[in-house]
Amino acid sequence: MPQGRLIKVQEIVFHQSWARQTYLEMAMESDYDPGDIKDIGYELWRSLSQVFGEKVTKNNLHGALNRWLAR
């Protein structure tokens, strides 16, 4: 994640994860390969985990972001 900014595919993964879509749904809507979407998601969650100071996953994104914002 360069300088705290997301690249386009990371934005897709973030926004569609927020909407609770699966990686397959994301891939179908964005014309990316499902494997690529999953890999990008893995790296995104790893980066956000470092920033938030807790493990972030697609499934706990809402809670992790809310806890981080509450600090």
Side-chain angles (χ1 to χ4, degrees), residues 3-22:
Q3 297 293 326
R5 305 230 13 156
L6 300 179
I7 61 173
K8 182 179 178 178
V9 67
Q10 288 172 320
E11 287 181 11
I12 290 168
V13 171
F14 184 90
H15 288 287
Q16 292 183 342
S17 292
W18 188 262
R20 303 188 192 281
Q21 290 187 324
T22 66

Side-chain angles (χ1 to χ4, degrees), residues 1 4 14 18 47-56 60-71:
M1 206 167 17
F14 184 90
W18 188 262
S47 295
L48 289 175
S49 293
Q50 291 174 345
V51 171
F52 290 5
E54 70 174 273
K55 184 174 181 170
V56 178
N60 76 352
L61 177 60
H62 287 97
L65 183 58
N66 286 330
R67 284 187 294 278
W68 185 75
L69 290 171
R71 292 183 197 160

